[in-house]
Amino acid sequence: MRKETFNYKEVFNHPIMIHQLTDKFVLPFGVSLARIVTFTVIFLIMLIFRDFFTAIGSFMAGLTILLYGVIPYFVSGWLLKLDVNGKKLHLFMWDLMRFVIAHKIQKKVYANDEPVKYLDKKQIRFEKFVRKERK
């Protein structure tokens, strides 16, 4: 009897897909949850800078509505395809944010993989060590 092993990497890397929003509204295709979140974040950033995008959209009738749909769609697709240091972009940004907060903002110094203590002291005083003789 021969045992076959199965590699779960492809299964766990598959994105979460949304196929149905309500009981009556079923999509004919699945949409990735990461794509929806990325699209929404880019759309909100565009709303913050809406004066710039409205100025671009004023060149042609209907261009503003097209910009607010096309730019988030293509940029979200491009961002989700990025692979930074072997990680997906959102995981890389999360790790980078944790590193900056934990190490750079607190200005920790390391020596031999151990945090160095007492860097804020101007002078370090050592206690005198007296060795007792055994009899």
Side-chain angles (χ1 to χ4, degrees):
M1 185 171 171
R2 184 176 166 189
K3 288 187 177 182
E4 291 186 31
T5 59
F6 188 75
N7 187 358
Y8 289 103
K9 182 179 180 185
E10 185 178 330
V11 174
F12 287 126
N13 282 338
H14 190 72
I16 299 171
M17 302 295 282
I18 295 177
H19 296 280
Q20 183 176 359
L21 298 176
T22 63
D23 290 336
K24 295 181 180 181
F25 188 69
V26 179
L27 298 172
F29 52 88
V31 180
S32 169
L33 180 63
R35 182 90 182 240
I36 292 171
V37 171
T38 309
F39 182 94
T40 306
V41 169
I42 294 168
F43 184 76
L44 292 175
I45 291 171
M46 287 178 70
L47 285 179
I48 292 171
F49 299 105
R50 69 178 161 263
D51 294 337
F52 173 74
F53 291 103
T54 306
I56 292 175
S58 66
F59 290 126
M60 190 181 349
L63 186 60
T64 304
I65 296 171
L66 187 68
L67 283 175
Y68 281 104
V70 170
I71 290 177
Y73 178 77
F74 284 113
V75 172
S76 64
W78 174 71
L79 286 175
L80 290 175
K81 287 181 185 175
L82 283 180
D83 190 30
V84 186
N85 291 341
K87 297 180 180 180
K88 295 291 185 186
L89 184 66
H90 61 284
L91 295 175
F92 176 77
M93 293 302 290
W94 174 254
D95 288 343
L96 180 66
M97 182 181 65
R98 286 179 48 213
F99 171 76
V100 168
I101 290 171
H103 301 286
K104 294 296 182 182
I105 292 176
Q106 295 179 6
K107 297 181 181 177
K108 287 187 179 179
V109 178
Y110 290 90
N112 295 329
D113 294 333
E114 295 284 330
V116 178
K117 297 179 181 177
Y118 309 115
L119 284 178
D120 56 340
K121 305 289 184 191
K122 299 265 186 204
Q123 182 180 11
I124 299 174
R125 183 179 298 162
F126 294 98
E127 296 176 3
K128 187 173 182 180
F129 178 72
V130 178
R131 176 179 250 171
K132 294 183 180 179
E133 301 260 342
R134 289 186 174 181
K135 291 185 182 180

